[in-house]
Amino acid sequence: MQLTQFSSWKALTSHYQSAKHLHIRDLFESDPLRQTRFSVLFEDILFDYSKNRISPHTFNLLTDLAKEVELKSWIERMFSGDKLNHTEGRAVLHTALRLPRHKPLVVGDQNISSLVHRELDKMSEFCYQVRSGRWLGYTGKPVTDIVNIGIGGSDLGPQLVVEALKSFSDKPLKCHFVSNVDTMHLLEKTENLNLETTLFIVASKSFTTDETMTNAESLREWFLKTTGAYDSLGKHFVAVSSNQAKAISFGINPENIFNFWDWVGGRYSLWSSIGLSIALTIGIENFKEMLAGAHAMDEHFRTAPFEKNIPVIMALLGIWYNNFFGCESHAILPYDHQLNLLPAYLEQADMESNGKSVDRDGKQVNYSTGGIVWGSQGINGQHAFYQLIHQGTKLVPADFISSAIPHESINNHHNLMLSNFFAQTEALMKGRTREETLNDLRELGLTDTEIEKQLPHMTFEGNKPTNSILLKKITPRSLGSLLAMYEHKVFTQGVIWNINSFDQYGVELGKKLAKKILSELNDTCLSRLHDGSTQSLMTYFRMLTAQPKLNS
Ligand SMILES: O=P(O)(O)OC[C@H]1O[C@](O)(CO)[C@@H](O)[C@@H]1O
């Protein structure tokens, strides 16, 4: 049955006709308990979703939908290792990466948990060697710099976490991330490195991704040419991959290949050995704390009733705006410099997962699926794109995220930041009525004619939905919980939309074509197999880059 045929979906469709006229301001006025009703405290993370365009009745209908699609059983199937990624024939078990050692998970005849902990132990020993200064480079010096070479899930998650938690590092190890194949990026990230003390991690699940392999090969060439240390490559290059054979043929010592499994999707892999750069930077104990925070969120997701289940609620609200209000996008607005990379990370987590237009049976869906996730630091956004959220014609639901206790704060900086977080969500919700605007303008001493002219420009409709997510502090544990919370939101939406959130065939076509075009760009004659635009771009490119003839 298509989603639109479910009785809860039909009930939501008809409820929307009246609910779209509700104003959140009125809902607050009529219900003094609204904030308590519509908020959940998980450990010390407050998730407040009271500033949304929902009544208690809307909320009930939304949770009915979760029940009707049998979300509970899908959650169980994911956690127990069913092959939910049916197009690739794989289980979806990133949650197993966060299991404590004492909790077994048997899938088939394998205890997944012991596999995970064996690899974690290997990471642990390696971290100890590097962080204690016992791991020595080709001239006998300890490591000072780590370079993670990876892209997509092999870059965004580790980079986000290293940035967010670097104040937890007790060692002067610096971590750099090379992802873009653009030479400028590579040079910028490597210009001040001392090769004697640099450790490169080639992070690629497949070990075939062009950008990563090209960067890794160039860095290996640079290393060997500069140092001549052909026998010491293994001291400076390690790998994280599920493709052992490819990593070995690159020249990595098999002992220094950190493994993970096909049941860990790239965009869900920061919890696996793909997180090696994280563990090296903040220490394995902090890395394990992050896993513990994610595991706590896993348990919450698995056991909390839908009415108190944060990822489920986030997902349902997203569906409400996406499928009923027709919202195209969702903004992620961290008020915390440490979470600078969260929007970029969630773009991949969400859009690569739920950007699908056929359902699990391969049928074209007749409803909207994954939305456009975007955002940046809220405080900067206020001076850039918030205008559109406040007064534009698009409805943009947003998540505001911050922590109460900063790692560093000079004078009143953090309170200023937080006051803006709170003020913006209030302003977006309340807006400014005609009467309020009139009063404000009168106070400015304007004439009646001037006031009439200004009124429509300065009146704010409000009624803009936001979720507020307030952490006590950004710690390995709370960050682990936060990221797992978003992963489960994405999963829940995928279940409701009846799509496979765990493959990504959409990115393959471009990759394949790029390979073909690259060989043509390197070749002397161009094929004529492309469309007119692509053909002319390639011709113009070749003209611009052609070497001038010696006699011209
Ligand atoms: O880790 P790999 O295999 O290099 O892949 C990197 C990224 O490329 C993708 O396959 C998409 O191109 C992502 O899903 C993945 O995170």
Side-chain angles (χ1 to χ4, degrees):
M1 188 165 47
Q2 277 265 28
L3 175 63
T4 47
Q5 299 305 312
F6 282 104
S7 59
S8 52
W9 190 271
K10 288 182 182 164
L12 279 162
T13 308
S14 90
H15 170 66
Y16 169 71
Q17 293 311 319
S18 55
K20 66 183 173 191
H21 302 297
L22 295 174
H23 199 295
I24 315 170
R25 196 179 41 219
D26 302 332
L27 294 167
F28 267 102
E29 270 163 27
S30 63
D31 180 5
L33 293 179
R34 184 171 173 84
Q35 192 282 333
T36 324
R37 190 191 302 282
F38 289 146
S39 60
V40 182
L41 189 63
F42 169 82
E43 298 196 346
D44 50 28
I45 304 176
L46 175 67
F47 173 63
D48 180 335
Y49 61 102
S50 56
K51 293 189 184 93
N52 275 290
R53 293 174 71 166
I54 53 165
S55 66
H57 182 52
T58 322
F59 188 66
N60 290 340
L61 293 179
L62 287 168
T63 49
D64 286 350
L65 174 65
K67 287 171 196 151
E68 199 174 355
V69 300
E70 296 177 359
L71 175 61
K72 191 93 194 137
S73 99
W74 282 96
I75 294 175
E76 269 323 297
R77 289 179 62 192
M78 174 173 72
F79 277 93
S80 54
D82 264 19
K83 293 192 170 161
L84 294 193
N85 178 359
H86 66 300
T87 53
E88 296 181 315
R90 294 175 185 170
V92 175
L93 272 175
H94 46 278
T95 50
L97 301 167
R98 298 102 63 152
L99 280 173
R101 198 181 288 274
H102 63 268
K103 277 196 187 170
L105 171 70
V106 180
V107 180
D109 53 3
Q110 245 177 355
N111 183 353
I112 299 286
S113 177
S114 68
L115 280 185
V116 166
H117 281 275
R118 201 180 310 151
E119 212 53 40
L120 207 49
D121 290 343
K122 183 171 167 181
M123 279 171 76
S124 189
E125 174 55 27
F126 183 68
C127 286
Y128 169 70
Q129 293 289 329
V130 173
R131 300 185 96 244
S132 66
R134 285 175 172 75
W135 183 278
L136 303 175
Y138 72 101
T139 55
K141 293 184 182 159
V143 174
T144 57
D145 292 81
I146 300 152
V147 179
N148 186 83
I149 312 163
I151 198 163
S154 301
D155 165 67
L156 290 164
Q159 203 180 341
L160 156 70
V161 176
V162 165
E163 274 292 305
L165 298 178
K166 61 180 170 221
S167 49
F168 284 82
S169 176
D170 57 345
K171 302 276 177 199
L173 270 178
K174 282 196 244 42
C175 192
H176 316 266
F177 289 86
V178 172
S179 55
N180 194 330
V181 77
D182 192 317
T183 312
M184 292 299 281
H185 182 64
L186 192 71
L187 294 179
E188 182 191 294
K189 294 288 174 176
T190 52
E191 63 187 351
N192 294 323
L193 291 178
N194 174 0
L195 286 177
E196 290 175 84
T197 59
T198 300
L199 177 73
F200 295 94
I201 304 173
V202 188
S204 174
K205 181 177 170 183
S206 58
F207 228 79
T208 58
T209 303
D210 281 339
E211 293 85 342
T212 301
M213 296 329 298
T214 305
N215 280 332
E217 279 156 17
S218 296
L219 289 168
R220 180 184 59 187
E221 187 184 311
W222 176 50
F223 175 84
L224 291 176
K225 269 196 185 150
T226 314
T227 66
Y230 289 85
D231 296 338
S232 300
L233 191 73
K235 293 181 176 161
H236 291 270
F237 280 77
V238 301
V240 179
S241 185
S242 56
N243 190 339
Q244 303 276 308
K246 287 258 182 212
I248 292 170
S249 69
F250 179 88
I252 308 277
N253 178 346
E255 280 173 23
N256 301 331
I257 300 172
F258 298 86
N259 189 25
F260 66 112
W261 306 271
D262 69 356
W263 39 261
V264 181
R267 52 193 172 276
Y268 300 92
S269 64
L270 75 93
W271 322 97
S272 71
S273 42
I274 281 289
L276 187 61
S277 52
I278 305 173
L280 284 165
T281 311
I282 64 172
I284 196 77
E285 289 312 318
N286 282 321
F287 184 74
K288 288 181 181 169
E289 266 298 296
M290 182 185 75
L291 298 181
H295 178 66
M297 181 53 73
D298 293 341
E299 289 296 294
H300 167 78
F301 178 55
R302 200 173 182 176
T303 58
F306 293 160
E307 292 74 14
K308 287 285 164 201
N309 192 316
I310 303 176
V312 173
I313 298 170
M314 289 173 94
L316 292 172
L317 290 167
I319 301 259
W320 181 229
Y321 296 118
N322 181 324
N323 294 91
F324 296 92
F325 284 81
C327 296
E328 293 275 317
S329 80
H330 186 100
I332 304 292
L333 306 171
Y335 278 70
D336 221 308
H337 186 65
Q338 286 177 276
L339 297 179
N340 196 19
L341 297 174
L342 185 64
Y345 169 77
L346 291 178
E347 276 171 15
Q348 187 199 14
D350 200 315
M351 297 203 277
E352 197 169 72
S353 297
N354 286 342
K356 311 285 161 65
S357 54
V358 294
D359 68 14
R360 294 183 67 85
D361 301 320
K363 287 201 215 79
Q364 193 72 33
V365 294
N366 63 355
Y367 44 85
S368 171
T369 62
I372 299 157
V373 174
W374 64 284
S376 71
Q377 296 257 8
I379 201 92
N380 299 77
Q382 287 174 205
H383 301 276
F385 55 80
Y386 274 36
Q387 169 60 33
L388 182 144
I389 308 183
H390 279 288
Q391 287 189 305
T393 53
K394 314 266 183 300
L395 184 66
V396 184
D399 291 352
F400 281 65
I401 309 150
S402 191
S403 59
I405 305 172
H407 283 282
E408 301 284 348
S409 182
I410 311 168
N411 304 330
N412 215 16
H413 283 229
H414 197 64
N415 284 8
L416 175 63
M417 177 104 96
L418 269 284
S419 64
N420 274 278
F421 168 149
F422 302 147
Q424 287 292 333
T425 63
E426 186 169 23
L428 284 164
M429 184 270 277
K430 282 189 175 161
R432 184 163 59 180
T433 61
R434 195 185 146 82
E435 284 62 44
E436 288 163 348
T437 314
L438 259 178
N439 289 339
D440 287 352
L441 291 175
R442 278 194 193 117
E443 273 175 24
L444 292 177
L446 300 187
T447 64
D448 283 354
T449 331
E450 285 166 339
I451 286 176
E452 268 317 304
K453 264 198 194 157
Q454 287 296 86
L455 251 182
H457 301 283
M458 299 185 69
T459 305
F460 290 51
E461 182 201 357
N463 214 12
K464 310 292 189 246
T466 57
N467 292 321
S468 296
I469 303 168
L470 187 58
L471 283 64
K472 180 176 176 193
K473 195 170 180 177
I474 296 174
T475 62
R477 186 176 178 93
S478 66
L479 184 66
S481 300
L482 181 75
L483 299 182
M485 182 170 102
Y486 275 103
E487 284 180 348
H488 296 319
K489 170 199 170 180
V490 170
F491 171 79
T492 301
Q493 293 191 328
V495 168
I496 295 175
W497 288 321
N498 191 27
I499 55 179
N500 180 3
S501 303
F502 300 101
D503 60 13
Q504 56 285 316
Y505 291 111
V507 291
E508 297 304 326
L509 178 62
K511 282 190 193 174
K512 218 169 132 192
L513 256 178
K515 270 199 202 318
K516 186 170 172 325
I517 291 181
L518 176 64
S519 70
E520 289 170 17
L521 290 182
N522 293 339
D523 208 355
T524 43
C525 53
L526 278 177
S527 76
R528 295 264 149 216
L529 297 172
H530 302 280
D531 62 89
S533 161
T534 312
Q535 196 74 49
S536 100
L537 280 168
M538 291 167 68
T539 309
Y540 189 54
F541 169 82
R542 286 174 61 136
M543 198 186 93
L544 294 177
T545 54
Q547 296 291 330
K549 292 210 176 70
L550 282 177
N551 57 358
S552 65

